Amino acid sequence: MDIGVILLFWFLALLAFTSKDLKGLLYLFFCSMSFGSFAVIPPELTGGLSLTATPIVAVLIIFRALYTIEGRSFFVNCHAIKPLNWLFYFWVVAVLVTMFAPRLFINDVLIIPVRDTPFMKAEFLQPSAQNFSQITYLTISVFTVFAFSFLLQQPENRLLALKGIFWGGVAVIFTGFLDLASQYASIDFLLSPFRNATYTLLTDAQVLGSKRITGLMPEASSFGALSIAFLSTTYFLKSTYFQSSFKPFVYVNIGLLLLMVWLSTSSAAYVALGVFGLLVLFEIFWRAAVSTKSRLYQSSVLPDVIAIFLIIIGLLLLYLIAPKVFDPLYELFDIMVFKKSESDSYMERNFWTEVSWQALIDSWGIGVGAGGTRASNGVVALISNVGIIGAIFYFGFVFKTFMSQANSIFGESIISAFRWSLLPSFVTWILVGVTPDFGLYVAFLYGLVYGLSTKH
């Protein structure tokens, strides 16, 4: 059964790669993100390394970008293209630090290995296989930004990508409901072939007697982070789905993704969900303020205001009629957010972050290399792995990308949506990020913004 689904993936990947347009690759790219526990090459053939589907699809997209002379020229000149040059220099620094730091500081700096270790146990820095695997993943993410920056300059590819986001959200919902159904029906034979990764899979964890929904991701926090990413992007990009007949499906997608975030019972996802709610309100006020100045936002505020008003009224009526309905929600939120600091996992993750921060200090700000240490905070993971110089280049790139200006009215709406939708994902990265890799979903968003930028 395992080899069957692996062969099916490779068949779909090669079929999409050889097709005339990017539709297949883009749809597979987004849908594969829901299969984070699925190793598409048997781990026994890779020395235990779990190569999941999305990085493989990303590599195929990179090769599609390199297929043309223009694409190869674009990649060669990335070091001179603003703001991509900041990302290029970040990658160069990350590679150099990863090559030399583990040997320079061997047995001198305490770190938390990326591989599984005993509870709250630090070790001395050593060159390891994790250095190679993590810099490889980071390289794929960086080059995916370059690939999308080139490919998404074409309007037809951008439209395909927007549809791909929708279907990626459908995949999150589908795998989430499959995992939910596994509590009530014997369908493990359907799920187990997609859970063949060698790293620890926390797919049976419970809270308050209920299973934490993980979909086909390694754990609830990664499923919650993926759900909030698709929820945020789908919501803020909803105005770009032009066909009025398609809009109801988009709103259904948003509602079900919201449910997936809640079912994940991930404290980081809950915090990000609160940030998302605030951003929704701020964005509505912002659209109302600029609607008189830009025809792009005219008559786009009223439906959202009505929907939010009806939701609030409905919740208030439910609370007045049956207040005890909300008791399980209060208890769950209290345990997963307010009492989170009392859990062993919280203490252990704080320990990871403290040790990784000290590793940065002990390495004189150079860093210990990608895969050198694990933190439970994306910012600390990035700085401790690639050093202060690498972090300056990365956050400089993020700032310049955030301030990009569009080259069309359509582009203005997408870049605006990017600014709003990136923040909830950034929150989950800060709260649970363990490596310097910013991830392929964010890599797509960066590439999309450059494809719409005025500075080509």
Side-chain angles (χ1 to χ4, degrees):
M1 183 68 174
D2 288 5
I3 193 65
V5 294
I6 289 174
L7 291 175
L8 176 61
F9 163 77
W10 283 104
F11 171 76
L12 294 175
L14 293 176
L15 185 66
F17 180 71
T18 55
S19 64
K20 292 182 179 180
D21 59 27
L22 280 178
K23 181 178 181 179
L25 277 178
L26 288 172
Y27 284 18
L28 190 60
F29 176 75
F30 290 109
C31 290
S32 67
M33 291 180 181
S34 295
F35 296 80
S37 60
F38 177 42
V40 296
I41 299 177
E44 55 268 22
L45 300 180
T46 60
L49 179 64
S50 296
L51 294 173
T52 54
T54 311
I56 299 296
V57 179
V59 170
L60 295 179
I61 291 173
I62 292 169
F63 280 129
R64 278 294 292 261
L66 290 169
Y67 180 74
T68 63
I69 295 175
E70 294 85 356
R72 291 192 291 272
S73 176
F74 185 88
F75 270 75
V76 168
N77 292 296
C78 277
H79 67 281
I81 301 175
K82 298 179 180 180
L84 296 179
N85 57 340
W86 284 74
L87 185 63
F88 175 82
Y89 296 137
F90 159 72
W91 173 72
V92 170
V93 171
V95 170
L96 292 175
V97 172
T98 304
M99 288 175 60
F100 297 108
R103 292 161 180 82
L104 180 63
F105 300 110
I106 187 171
N107 293 327
D108 282 338
V109 177
L110 280 173
I111 52 91
I112 303 295
V114 174
R115 57 179 169 78
D116 289 336
T117 55
F119 180 73
M120 295 184 72
K121 179 177 174 57
E123 298 180 5
F124 280 107
L125 179 65
Q126 297 272 353
S128 67
Q130 282 73 34
N131 296 134
F132 174 76
S133 62
Q134 293 303 316
I135 197 63
T136 299
Y137 285 132
L138 182 60
T139 298
I140 292 173
S141 293
V142 169
F143 278 65
T144 299
V145 176
F146 298 156
F148 278 126
S149 295
F150 171 72
L151 294 170
L152 297 182
Q153 293 179 32
Q154 302 177 33
E156 61 273 19
N157 288 340
R158 292 199 292 266
L159 291 174
L160 289 173
L162 295 178
K163 293 179 180 178
I165 293 172
F166 172 84
W167 290 112
V170 171
V172 173
I173 296 165
F174 178 72
T175 56
F177 276 122
L178 273 181
D179 190 37
L180 180 64
S182 68
Q183 300 178 74
Y184 311 103
S186 300
I187 58 172
D188 286 344
F189 70 97
L190 291 176
L191 303 179
S192 58
F194 298 100
R195 290 173 172 165
N196 62 341
T198 55
Y199 38 73
T200 303
L201 302 179
L202 303 176
T203 57
D204 295 318
Q206 295 189 355
V207 59
L208 294 178
S210 299
K211 183 181 183 297
R212 302 182 69 187
I213 300 303
T214 63
L216 290 174
M217 299 297 287
E219 58 181 355
S221 61
S222 56
F223 181 73
L226 184 67
S227 300
I228 198 73
F230 275 102
L231 168 66
S232 181
T233 309
T234 302
Y235 175 81
F236 289 115
L237 280 172
K238 66 185 183 303
S239 61
T240 63
Y241 295 97
F242 293 114
Q243 298 89 345
S244 57
S245 59
F246 193 63
K247 286 282 181 71
F249 297 103
V250 176
Y251 282 100
V252 170
N253 229 27
I254 291 170
L256 292 176
L257 285 169
L258 184 62
L259 177 63
M260 292 300 109
V261 175
W262 184 259
L263 291 176
S264 73
T265 64
S266 165
S267 55
Y270 285 177
V271 173
L273 186 61
V275 173
F276 169 74
L278 291 175
L279 290 173
V280 168
L281 294 177
F282 290 151
E283 193 257 357
I284 289 175
F285 287 130
W286 176 79
R287 273 189 288 146
V290 303
S291 62
T292 57
K293 303 176 183 179
S294 173
R295 61 187 177 90
L296 176 67
Y297 301 105
Q298 288 176 0
S299 70
S300 64
V301 177
L302 187 59
D304 287 347
V305 173
I306 293 174
I308 292 175
F309 178 76
L310 291 176
I311 291 172
I312 293 174
I313 293 297
L315 291 174
L316 288 175
L317 289 174
L318 183 60
Y319 180 76
L320 292 174
I321 296 171
K324 291 187 178 181
V325 170
F326 293 93
D327 288 349
L329 302 183
Y330 296 148
E331 189 175 0
L332 178 61
F333 196 79
D334 183 49
I335 289 176
M336 298 310 301
V337 178
F338 296 115
K339 293 182 179 178
K340 181 70 175 177
S341 59
E342 301 174 9
S343 67
D344 289 343
S345 64
Y346 179 86
M347 290 188 291
E348 183 180 33
R349 287 178 174 271
N350 264 3
F351 177 69
W352 295 352
T353 301
E354 290 171 6
V355 172
S356 296
W357 184 255
Q358 187 61 45
L360 174 69
I361 297 172
D362 293 342
S363 64
W364 303 96
I366 295 173
V368 294
T373 187
R374 169 173 51 175
S376 185
N377 179 301
V379 175
V380 175
L382 180 81
I383 300 176
S384 62
N385 277 236
V386 304
I388 294 174
I389 295 176
I392 289 172
F393 280 124
Y394 176 72
F395 289 113
F397 166 73
V398 173
F399 175 77
K400 288 182 174 293
T401 303
F402 207 81
M403 300 304 294
S404 294
Q405 298 297 315
N407 55 15
S408 66
I409 293 177
F410 178 69
E412 179 187 341
S413 69
I414 296 181
I415 290 183
S416 174
F418 156 80
R419 295 190 184 108
W420 293 104
S421 65
L422 184 63
L423 293 175
S425 293
F426 191 71
V427 168
T428 57
W429 180 66
I430 290 176
L431 294 176
V432 297
V434 297
T435 72
D437 184 12
F438 48 84
L440 292 169
Y441 190 87
V442 174
F444 161 77
L445 292 177
Y446 289 155
L448 178 63
V449 171
Y450 181 84
L452 292 159
S453 175
T454 55
K455 297 180 180 179
H456 286 170

